[in-house]
Amino acid sequence: MEHRIIGPGPYRATKLWNETIELFRSGMTQKKHRLHFKTYDRCFTATEAVDWLHELLQCNQNFGPEVTRGQTIQLLKKFLKNHVIEDVKGRWGKEDFEDSNSLYRFPPTSPLKPYPKRPQLRADPLPFPRWSDKESVTSHTYIPLKPLVMNSEMWYKRHSIAIGEVPTCRLLYRKELSAENIEEIWKSRTLLRLQKIFGLDSLDEVMDIKQTNGKHVMHNVYNVNKQGIVVMDDRSKELPHWLLSAMKCLAKWPNCSEMKQPMYLGFERDVFRTIADYYSSLQEPLLTFPLFDVFVNILGLLQKRTIAIEALQVCCLLLPPENRRKLQLLMRMMARIGLNREMPPLCDTSGNRALMVQTFSRSVLRSKEEVDLGELLSTKLVTFMMDNCQEILTVPTSYKNSVEDYVAHQRRVQIKYPGANIDSTLHPSFIKPRGITREYEYQKLSQPQDLGKSALEDLINDKSVSSKEKKKKLKQFQRAHFQVYKERFPTPASEAAIFPEKTGLIPQLSFFTLKRPFQSFQRTRSFRM
């Protein structure tokens, strides 16, 4: 049985657990062994199990060559406790597995874990701000606008308006966005971006959305210092001063004379042990228990480095600010120690880089139940994060700008003309179809579909309107959503393909209709803004 890469999706940790068990049961050699003058059929020694499973995990792309023999023994202890294996006398349920000549076998019953059913927890959404006709005001007053660069097409539009009748417009004012509204926008847009990265229809089975906090996201985005590290408002949540001094000492080794620490043989090992003791004493890992499944799903994206980094960037913004700060400082220290050739060995049995991963993996990521492959998964994730910490623990600029633009759009005044079917100020991802309900309007924040493209296709395929009316609506759509329109019609030929061919008489008639092609531009009172 060959292994397969398990990508993002619901219950990925459980799927990895079951697949590892199936590979182990199908590939592990069982033969006759003799122990204490008694012969046992279809069994294997503990050492044989460790050798075979260790090689399997290192060759498996879901785990990788970073898996150590010690981690393999720990996994076999979990197998014994969960009745994946049993000793030849049928005993199981204790973690007393050791790398020895003790004999074990597979039980006749299936040890695979069932997939849990996560309850659907849906909180009632906050009333989302909407345009309200009751608060609209008909206005002819001056509206300040940014200066525009006039080209020939824009001049023609202005000229055609100036010589024609200008309809009365209304200004529709948006309700003031509260702090809760803005936090909800940041939360919704963050979850939507994460959903698109994973390629999932919903995040309900991957994480408990109810436990995410938009205030944490905003704090992690804006409350940072020049190095991009989160700054805490509450000093009680800061790392102890002595711990910060110890981490700086090792991160800047050997240039840490300004720390004024006593130097002696083995001093750096004692400092490292102090830091390790603090992080190992944390009651919850830095990536938190509720987000365990989310980060496990990111492991399925490590084959695509850029996508995995983007997913980690977004996920780490969901962390509580104090967790993100501790994670940033820890990863920076781990990366510098792993690359510092002047740092003396901090352990006699392994190199400094491997020691960083082995020491802090459980402090960064682990499951609450401790009955799955959490240790192996955390080792792989922490290794990747340590190698790419500079990119992962920064705020992606495109993400920040997109959310800020969306918030600014929601505060913008709408200019509405009578008979306009397309709202020229609506965001492409928030186009309002006919008959939309208020609940659906709010839930569109978490929909993966590109509604702008769908609306354009509906307009193109609408056969109930004439070609003239369709051209008018397409021009309105082009002004409101230029990027979507440009992707659909990259060339003039593609735009003309949706309309029937014109006869040769029309261009001749259009020449005579323009009686004064060089008439000077005259501004009328109705054109004044």
PDB file of all heavy atoms in Angstrom, residues 485-515:
ATOM      1  N   TYR A 485     -14.235  43.900 -15.776  1.00  0.00           N
ATOM      2  CA  TYR A 485     -14.606  44.102 -17.174  1.00  0.00           C
ATOM      3  C   TYR A 485     -13.405  43.844 -18.091  1.00  0.00           C
ATOM      4  O   TYR A 485     -13.533  43.242 -19.160  1.00  0.00           O
ATOM      5  CB  TYR A 485     -15.118  45.528 -17.364  1.00  0.00           C
ATOM      6  CG  TYR A 485     -15.750  45.786 -18.719  1.00  0.00           C
ATOM      7  CD1 TYR A 485     -17.103  45.552 -18.932  1.00  0.00           C
ATOM      8  CD2 TYR A 485     -14.991  46.254 -19.786  1.00  0.00           C
ATOM      9  CE1 TYR A 485     -17.689  45.781 -20.171  1.00  0.00           C
ATOM     10  CE2 TYR A 485     -15.555  46.492 -21.030  1.00  0.00           C
ATOM     11  CZ  TYR A 485     -16.909  46.251 -21.215  1.00  0.00           C
ATOM     12  OH  TYR A 485     -17.481  46.477 -22.445  1.00  0.00           O
ATOM     13  N   LYS A 486     -12.213  44.280 -17.665  1.00  0.00           N
ATOM     14  CA  LYS A 486     -11.019  44.115 -18.484  1.00  0.00           C
ATOM     15  C   LYS A 486     -10.644  42.649 -18.619  1.00  0.00           C
ATOM     16  O   LYS A 486     -10.167  42.214 -19.676  1.00  0.00           O
ATOM     17  CB  LYS A 486      -9.854  44.895 -17.846  1.00  0.00           C
ATOM     18  CG  LYS A 486      -8.595  44.937 -18.699  1.00  0.00           C
ATOM     19  CD  LYS A 486      -8.807  45.732 -19.966  1.00  0.00           C
ATOM     20  CE  LYS A 486      -7.525  45.853 -20.770  1.00  0.00           C
ATOM     21  NZ  LYS A 486      -7.728  46.563 -22.043  1.00  0.00           N
ATOM     22  N   GLU A 487     -10.857  41.843 -17.536  1.00  0.00           N
ATOM     23  CA  GLU A 487     -10.547  40.418 -17.623  1.00  0.00           C
ATOM     24  C   GLU A 487     -11.494  39.710 -18.581  1.00  0.00           C
ATOM     25  O   GLU A 487     -11.100  38.777 -19.281  1.00  0.00           O
ATOM     26  CB  GLU A 487     -10.647  39.790 -16.229  1.00  0.00           C
ATOM     27  CG  GLU A 487      -9.556  40.258 -15.276  1.00  0.00           C
ATOM     28  CD  GLU A 487      -9.707  39.632 -13.905  1.00  0.00           C
ATOM     29  OE1 GLU A 487     -10.643  38.813 -13.729  1.00  0.00           O
ATOM     30  OE2 GLU A 487      -8.910  39.963 -13.005  1.00  0.00           O
ATOM     31  N   ARG A 488     -12.752  40.158 -18.635  1.00  0.00           N
ATOM     32  CA  ARG A 488     -13.738  39.510 -19.505  1.00  0.00           C
ATOM     33  C   ARG A 488     -13.568  39.945 -20.950  1.00  0.00           C
ATOM     34  O   ARG A 488     -13.757  39.161 -21.887  1.00  0.00           O
ATOM     35  CB  ARG A 488     -15.150  39.843 -19.016  1.00  0.00           C
ATOM     36  CG  ARG A 488     -16.268  39.267 -19.857  1.00  0.00           C
ATOM     37  CD  ARG A 488     -16.214  37.740 -19.880  1.00  0.00           C
ATOM     38  NE  ARG A 488     -17.323  37.177 -20.622  1.00  0.00           N
ATOM     39  CZ  ARG A 488     -17.371  37.026 -21.940  1.00  0.00           C
ATOM     40  NH1 ARG A 488     -16.314  37.418 -22.677  1.00  0.00           N
ATOM     41  NH2 ARG A 488     -18.424  36.490 -22.527  1.00  0.00           N
ATOM     42  N   PHE A 489     -13.192  41.210 -21.170  1.00  0.00           N
ATOM     43  CA  PHE A 489     -13.014  41.746 -22.521  1.00  0.00           C
ATOM     44  C   PHE A 489     -11.613  42.344 -22.640  1.00  0.00           C
ATOM     45  O   PHE A 489     -11.433  43.566 -22.528  1.00  0.00           O
ATOM     46  CB  PHE A 489     -14.069  42.807 -22.828  1.00  0.00           C
ATOM     47  CG  PHE A 489     -15.484  42.311 -22.754  1.00  0.00           C
ATOM     48  CD1 PHE A 489     -16.315  42.706 -21.723  1.00  0.00           C
ATOM     49  CD2 PHE A 489     -15.980  41.438 -23.704  1.00  0.00           C
ATOM     50  CE1 PHE A 489     -17.617  42.248 -21.644  1.00  0.00           C
ATOM     51  CE2 PHE A 489     -17.282  40.972 -23.635  1.00  0.00           C
ATOM     52  CZ  PHE A 489     -18.109  41.377 -22.599  1.00  0.00           C
ATOM     53  N   PRO A 490     -10.602  41.521 -22.843  1.00  0.00           N
ATOM     54  CA  PRO A 490      -9.235  42.057 -22.928  1.00  0.00           C
ATOM     55  C   PRO A 490      -8.971  42.853 -24.198  1.00  0.00           C
ATOM     56  O   PRO A 490      -8.079  43.698 -24.225  1.00  0.00           O
ATOM     57  CB  PRO A 490      -8.361  40.790 -22.879  1.00  0.00           C
ATOM     58  CG  PRO A 490      -9.256  39.692 -23.381  1.00  0.00           C
ATOM     59  CD  PRO A 490     -10.642  40.058 -22.955  1.00  0.00           C
ATOM     60  N   THR A 491      -9.731  42.604 -25.283  1.00  0.00           N
ATOM     61  CA  THR A 491      -9.523  43.304 -26.550  1.00  0.00           C
ATOM     62  C   THR A 491     -10.852  43.853 -27.056  1.00  0.00           C
ATOM     63  O   THR A 491     -11.924  43.355 -26.700  1.00  0.00           O
ATOM     64  CB  THR A 491      -8.930  42.353 -27.607  1.00  0.00           C
ATOM     65  OG1 THR A 491      -9.852  41.268 -27.828  1.00  0.00           O
ATOM     66  CG2 THR A 491      -7.591  41.788 -27.121  1.00  0.00           C
ATOM     67  N   PRO A 492     -10.811  44.871 -27.925  1.00  0.00           N
ATOM     68  CA  PRO A 492     -12.065  45.375 -28.510  1.00  0.00           C
ATOM     69  C   PRO A 492     -12.808  44.316 -29.307  1.00  0.00           C
ATOM     70  O   PRO A 492     -14.041  44.330 -29.378  1.00  0.00           O
ATOM     71  CB  PRO A 492     -11.594  46.529 -29.400  1.00  0.00           C
ATOM     72  CG  PRO A 492     -10.277  46.950 -28.821  1.00  0.00           C
ATOM     73  CD  PRO A 492      -9.662  45.716 -28.286  1.00  0.00           C
ATOM     74  N   ALA A 493     -12.066  43.375 -29.907  1.00  0.00           N
ATOM     75  CA  ALA A 493     -12.719  42.320 -30.693  1.00  0.00           C
ATOM     76  C   ALA A 493     -13.571  41.419 -29.803  1.00  0.00           C
ATOM     77  O   ALA A 493     -14.670  41.006 -30.196  1.00  0.00           O
ATOM     78  CB  ALA A 493     -11.666  41.503 -31.428  1.00  0.00           C
ATOM     79  N   SER A 494     -13.098  41.105 -28.622  1.00  0.00           N
ATOM     80  CA  SER A 494     -13.874  40.261 -27.711  1.00  0.00           C
ATOM     81  C   SER A 494     -15.126  40.985 -27.218  1.00  0.00           C
ATOM     82  O   SER A 494     -16.157  40.373 -26.966  1.00  0.00           O
ATOM     83  CB  SER A 494     -13.016  39.857 -26.514  1.00  0.00           C
ATOM     84  OG  SER A 494     -12.579  41.000 -25.806  1.00  0.00           O
ATOM     85  N   GLU A 495     -15.049  42.297 -27.110  1.00  0.00           N
ATOM     86  CA  GLU A 495     -16.216  43.073 -26.686  1.00  0.00           C
ATOM     87  C   GLU A 495     -17.253  43.138 -27.798  1.00  0.00           C
ATOM     88  O   GLU A 495     -18.459  43.054 -27.558  1.00  0.00           O
ATOM     89  CB  GLU A 495     -15.774  44.476 -26.280  1.00  0.00           C
ATOM     90  CG  GLU A 495     -16.900  45.351 -25.757  1.00  0.00           C
ATOM     91  CD  GLU A 495     -16.402  46.715 -25.354  1.00  0.00           C
ATOM     92  OE1 GLU A 495     -15.211  47.018 -25.581  1.00  0.00           O
ATOM     93  OE2 GLU A 495     -17.202  47.490 -24.797  1.00  0.00           O
ATOM     94  N   ALA A 496     -16.777  43.292 -29.053  1.00  0.00           N
ATOM     95  CA  ALA A 496     -17.703  43.400 -30.179  1.00  0.00           C
ATOM     96  C   ALA A 496     -18.326  42.068 -30.545  1.00  0.00           C
ATOM     97  O   ALA A 496     -19.338  42.026 -31.252  1.00  0.00           O
ATOM     98  CB  ALA A 496     -16.972  43.980 -31.388  1.00  0.00           C
ATOM     99  N   ALA A 497     -17.775  40.968 -30.057  1.00  0.00           N
ATOM    100  CA  ALA A 497     -18.254  39.643 -30.454  1.00  0.00           C
ATOM    101  C   ALA A 497     -19.630  39.324 -29.892  1.00  0.00           C
ATOM    102  O   ALA A 497     -20.340  38.465 -30.415  1.00  0.00           O
ATOM    103  CB  ALA A 497     -17.262  38.568 -30.007  1.00  0.00           C
ATOM    104  N   ILE A 498     -20.042  40.028 -28.826  1.00  0.00           N
ATOM    105  CA  ILE A 498     -21.339  39.704 -28.217  1.00  0.00           C
ATOM    106  C   ILE A 498     -22.478  40.463 -28.877  1.00  0.00           C
ATOM    107  O   ILE A 498     -23.645  40.225 -28.543  1.00  0.00           O
ATOM    108  CB  ILE A 498     -21.319  40.019 -26.708  1.00  0.00           C
ATOM    109  CG1 ILE A 498     -21.150  41.533 -26.480  1.00  0.00           C
ATOM    110  CG2 ILE A 498     -20.230  39.242 -25.992  1.00  0.00           C
ATOM    111  CD1 ILE A 498     -21.312  41.936 -25.045  1.00  0.00           C
ATOM    112  N   PHE A 499     -22.169  41.368 -29.820  1.00  0.00           N
ATOM    113  CA  PHE A 499     -23.201  42.142 -30.498  1.00  0.00           C
ATOM    114  C   PHE A 499     -23.277  41.720 -31.969  1.00  0.00           C
ATOM    115  O   PHE A 499     -22.253  41.351 -32.573  1.00  0.00           O
ATOM    116  CB  PHE A 499     -22.909  43.650 -30.414  1.00  0.00           C
ATOM    117  CG  PHE A 499     -22.892  44.176 -29.014  1.00  0.00           C
ATOM    118  CD1 PHE A 499     -21.696  44.450 -28.377  1.00  0.00           C
ATOM    119  CD2 PHE A 499     -24.075  44.382 -28.314  1.00  0.00           C
ATOM    120  CE1 PHE A 499     -21.659  44.932 -27.087  1.00  0.00           C
ATOM    121  CE2 PHE A 499     -24.052  44.862 -27.029  1.00  0.00           C
ATOM    122  CZ  PHE A 499     -22.849  45.140 -26.416  1.00  0.00           C
ATOM    123  N   PRO A 500     -24.447  41.775 -32.554  1.00  0.00           N
ATOM    124  CA  PRO A 500     -24.558  41.435 -33.983  1.00  0.00           C
ATOM    125  C   PRO A 500     -23.801  42.431 -34.849  1.00  0.00           C
ATOM    126  O   PRO A 500     -23.609  43.583 -34.476  1.00  0.00           O
ATOM    127  CB  PRO A 500     -26.067  41.490 -34.232  1.00  0.00           C
ATOM    128  CG  PRO A 500     -26.614  42.352 -33.145  1.00  0.00           C
ATOM    129  CD  PRO A 500     -25.742  42.115 -31.950  1.00  0.00           C
ATOM    130  N   GLU A 501     -23.369  41.962 -36.035  1.00  0.00           N
ATOM    131  CA  GLU A 501     -22.597  42.822 -36.928  1.00  0.00           C
ATOM    132  C   GLU A 501     -23.454  43.960 -37.461  1.00  0.00           C
ATOM    133  O   GLU A 501     -24.645  43.807 -37.735  1.00  0.00           O
ATOM    134  CB  GLU A 501     -22.054  42.006 -38.093  1.00  0.00           C
ATOM    135  CG  GLU A 501     -21.082  40.915 -37.668  1.00  0.00           C
ATOM    136  CD  GLU A 501     -20.519  40.197 -38.870  1.00  0.00           C
ATOM    137  OE1 GLU A 501     -20.911  40.552 -39.989  1.00  0.00           O
ATOM    138  OE2 GLU A 501     -19.680  39.290 -38.672  1.00  0.00           O
ATOM    139  N   LYS A 502     -22.806  45.116 -37.594  1.00  0.00           N
ATOM    140  CA  LYS A 502     -23.508  46.302 -38.075  1.00  0.00           C
ATOM    141  C   LYS A 502     -23.472  46.331 -39.599  1.00  0.00           C
ATOM    142  O   LYS A 502     -22.569  45.814 -40.237  1.00  0.00           O
ATOM    143  CB  LYS A 502     -22.844  47.558 -37.524  1.00  0.00           C
ATOM    144  CG  LYS A 502     -22.828  47.609 -35.997  1.00  0.00           C
ATOM    145  CD  LYS A 502     -22.123  48.858 -35.529  1.00  0.00           C
ATOM    146  CE  LYS A 502     -22.059  48.928 -34.020  1.00  0.00           C
ATOM    147  NZ  LYS A 502     -21.359  50.132 -33.547  1.00  0.00           N
ATOM    148  N   THR A 503     -24.455  46.961 -40.166  1.00  0.00           N
ATOM    149  CA  THR A 503     -24.484  47.157 -41.622  1.00  0.00           C
ATOM    150  C   THR A 503     -23.602  48.325 -42.000  1.00  0.00           C
ATOM    151  O   THR A 503     -23.227  49.145 -41.177  1.00  0.00           O
ATOM    152  CB  THR A 503     -25.932  47.419 -42.086  1.00  0.00           C
ATOM    153  OG1 THR A 503     -26.391  48.618 -41.444  1.00  0.00           O
ATOM    154  CG2 THR A 503     -26.831  46.258 -41.688  1.00  0.00           C
ATOM    155  N   GLY A 504     -23.289  48.407 -43.284  1.00  0.00           N
ATOM    156  CA  GLY A 504     -22.393  49.462 -43.726  1.00  0.00           C
ATOM    157  C   GLY A 504     -23.032  50.828 -43.740  1.00  0.00           C
ATOM    158  O   GLY A 504     -22.362  51.823 -43.912  1.00  0.00           O
ATOM    159  N   LEU A 505     -24.363  50.907 -43.580  1.00  0.00           N
ATOM    160  CA  LEU A 505     -25.044  52.195 -43.634  1.00  0.00           C
ATOM    161  C   LEU A 505     -24.904  52.964 -42.335  1.00  0.00           C
ATOM    162  O   LEU A 505     -24.937  54.187 -42.333  1.00  0.00           O
ATOM    163  CB  LEU A 505     -26.532  51.965 -43.950  1.00  0.00           C
ATOM    164  CG  LEU A 505     -27.400  53.225 -44.133  1.00  0.00           C
ATOM    165  CD1 LEU A 505     -26.882  54.060 -45.297  1.00  0.00           C
ATOM    166  CD2 LEU A 505     -28.857  52.829 -44.364  1.00  0.00           C
ATOM    167  N   ILE A 506     -24.717  52.262 -41.232  1.00  0.00           N
ATOM    168  CA  ILE A 506     -24.713  52.933 -39.933  1.00  0.00           C
ATOM    169  C   ILE A 506     -23.540  53.889 -39.781  1.00  0.00           C
ATOM    170  O   ILE A 506     -23.724  55.017 -39.347  1.00  0.00           O
ATOM    171  CB  ILE A 506     -24.720  51.885 -38.810  1.00  0.00           C
ATOM    172  CG1 ILE A 506     -26.019  51.097 -38.863  1.00  0.00           C
ATOM    173  CG2 ILE A 506     -24.544  52.532 -37.445  1.00  0.00           C
ATOM    174  CD1 ILE A 506     -26.110  50.000 -37.815  1.00  0.00           C
ATOM    175  N   PRO A 507     -22.316  53.514 -40.168  1.00  0.00           N
ATOM    176  CA  PRO A 507     -21.227  54.487 -40.035  1.00  0.00           C
ATOM    177  C   PRO A 507     -21.440  55.728 -40.875  1.00  0.00           C
ATOM    178  O   PRO A 507     -21.060  56.822 -40.479  1.00  0.00           O
ATOM    179  CB  PRO A 507     -20.004  53.701 -40.496  1.00  0.00           C
ATOM    180  CG  PRO A 507     -20.368  52.270 -40.291  1.00  0.00           C
ATOM    181  CD  PRO A 507     -21.824  52.203 -40.582  1.00  0.00           C
ATOM    182  N   GLN A 508     -22.088  55.574 -42.071  1.00  0.00           N
ATOM    183  CA  GLN A 508     -22.320  56.744 -42.901  1.00  0.00           C
ATOM    184  C   GLN A 508     -23.333  57.670 -42.253  1.00  0.00           C
ATOM    185  O   GLN A 508     -23.190  58.885 -42.259  1.00  0.00           O
ATOM    186  CB  GLN A 508     -22.822  56.300 -44.271  1.00  0.00           C
ATOM    187  CG  GLN A 508     -21.807  55.406 -45.015  1.00  0.00           C
ATOM    188  CD  GLN A 508     -22.350  54.910 -46.322  1.00  0.00           C
ATOM    189  OE1 GLN A 508     -23.452  55.313 -46.729  1.00  0.00           O
ATOM    190  NE2 GLN A 508     -21.612  54.042 -47.002  1.00  0.00           N
ATOM    191  N   LEU A 509     -24.388  57.098 -41.681  1.00  0.00           N
ATOM    192  CA  LEU A 509     -25.392  57.937 -41.033  1.00  0.00           C
ATOM    193  C   LEU A 509     -24.827  58.644 -39.818  1.00  0.00           C
ATOM    194  O   LEU A 509     -25.169  59.789 -39.545  1.00  0.00           O
ATOM    195  CB  LEU A 509     -26.592  57.071 -40.629  1.00  0.00           C
ATOM    196  CG  LEU A 509     -27.395  56.476 -41.793  1.00  0.00           C
ATOM    197  CD1 LEU A 509     -28.503  55.573 -41.256  1.00  0.00           C
ATOM    198  CD2 LEU A 509     -28.003  57.586 -42.653  1.00  0.00           C
ATOM    199  N   SER A 510     -23.951  57.932 -39.079  1.00  0.00           N
ATOM    200  CA  SER A 510     -23.407  58.544 -37.871  1.00  0.00           C
ATOM    201  C   SER A 510     -22.530  59.742 -38.218  1.00  0.00           C
ATOM    202  O   SER A 510     -22.389  60.658 -37.430  1.00  0.00           O
ATOM    203  CB  SER A 510     -22.581  57.515 -37.100  1.00  0.00           C
ATOM    204  OG  SER A 510     -21.515  57.064 -37.907  1.00  0.00           O
ATOM    205  N   PHE A 511     -21.958  59.773 -39.474  1.00  0.00           N
ATOM    206  CA  PHE A 511     -21.132  60.907 -39.866  1.00  0.00           C
ATOM    207  C   PHE A 511     -21.981  62.155 -40.043  1.00  0.00           C
ATOM    208  O   PHE A 511     -21.602  63.254 -39.676  1.00  0.00           O
ATOM    209  CB  PHE A 511     -20.371  60.579 -41.154  1.00  0.00           C
ATOM    210  CG  PHE A 511     -19.602  61.745 -41.716  1.00  0.00           C
ATOM    211  CD1 PHE A 511     -18.375  62.086 -41.184  1.00  0.00           C
ATOM    212  CD2 PHE A 511     -20.128  62.506 -42.762  1.00  0.00           C
ATOM    213  CE1 PHE A 511     -17.659  63.145 -41.674  1.00  0.00           C
ATOM    214  CE2 PHE A 511     -19.403  63.568 -43.248  1.00  0.00           C
ATOM    215  CZ  PHE A 511     -18.172  63.897 -42.720  1.00  0.00           C
ATOM    216  N   PHE A 512     -23.204  61.961 -40.628  1.00  0.00           N
ATOM    217  CA  PHE A 512     -24.057  63.126 -40.872  1.00  0.00           C
ATOM    218  C   PHE A 512     -24.743  63.593 -39.599  1.00  0.00           C
ATOM    219  O   PHE A 512     -25.183  64.723 -39.510  1.00  0.00           O
ATOM    220  CB  PHE A 512     -25.101  62.789 -41.937  1.00  0.00           C
ATOM    221  CG  PHE A 512     -24.479  62.594 -43.308  1.00  0.00           C
ATOM    222  CD1 PHE A 512     -24.327  61.314 -43.824  1.00  0.00           C
ATOM    223  CD2 PHE A 512     -24.019  63.670 -44.045  1.00  0.00           C
ATOM    224  CE1 PHE A 512     -23.760  61.122 -45.066  1.00  0.00           C
ATOM    225  CE2 PHE A 512     -23.451  63.481 -45.294  1.00  0.00           C
ATOM    226  CZ  PHE A 512     -23.318  62.199 -45.813  1.00  0.00           C
ATOM    227  N   THR A 513     -24.884  62.750 -38.623  1.00  0.00           N
ATOM    228  CA  THR A 513     -25.547  63.187 -37.395  1.00  0.00           C
ATOM    229  C   THR A 513     -24.670  64.111 -36.588  1.00  0.00           C
ATOM    230  O   THR A 513     -25.159  64.889 -35.782  1.00  0.00           O
ATOM    231  CB  THR A 513     -25.914  61.974 -36.531  1.00  0.00           C
ATOM    232  OG1 THR A 513     -24.723  61.217 -36.298  1.00  0.00           O
ATOM    233  CG2 THR A 513     -26.931  61.095 -37.229  1.00  0.00           C
ATOM    234  N   LEU A 514     -23.355  64.051 -36.794  1.00  0.00           N
ATOM    235  CA  LEU A 514     -22.465  64.941 -36.078  1.00  0.00           C
ATOM    236  C   LEU A 514     -22.283  66.206 -36.901  1.00  0.00           C
ATOM    237  O   LEU A 514     -21.406  66.329 -37.737  1.00  0.00           O
ATOM    238  CB  LEU A 514     -21.107  64.254 -35.856  1.00  0.00           C
ATOM    239  CG  LEU A 514     -20.124  64.998 -34.971  1.00  0.00           C
ATOM    240  CD1 LEU A 514     -20.696  65.199 -33.577  1.00  0.00           C
ATOM    241  CD2 LEU A 514     -18.805  64.226 -34.900  1.00  0.00           C
ATOM    242  N   LYS A 515     -23.184  67.165 -36.692  1.00  0.00           N
ATOM    243  CA  LYS A 515     -23.197  68.365 -37.520  1.00  0.00           C
ATOM    244  C   LYS A 515     -22.015  69.265 -37.220  1.00  0.00           C
ATOM    245  O   LYS A 515     -21.436  69.866 -38.099  1.00  0.00           O
ATOM    246  CB  LYS A 515     -24.504  69.111 -37.296  1.00  0.00           C
ATOM    247  CG  LYS A 515     -25.720  68.306 -37.731  1.00  0.00           C
ATOM    248  CD  LYS A 515     -26.996  69.098 -37.507  1.00  0.00           C
ATOM    249  CE  LYS A 515     -28.221  68.307 -37.977  1.00  0.00           C
ATOM    250  NZ  LYS A 515     -29.474  69.038 -37.753  1.00  0.00           N
TER     251      LYS A 515
END
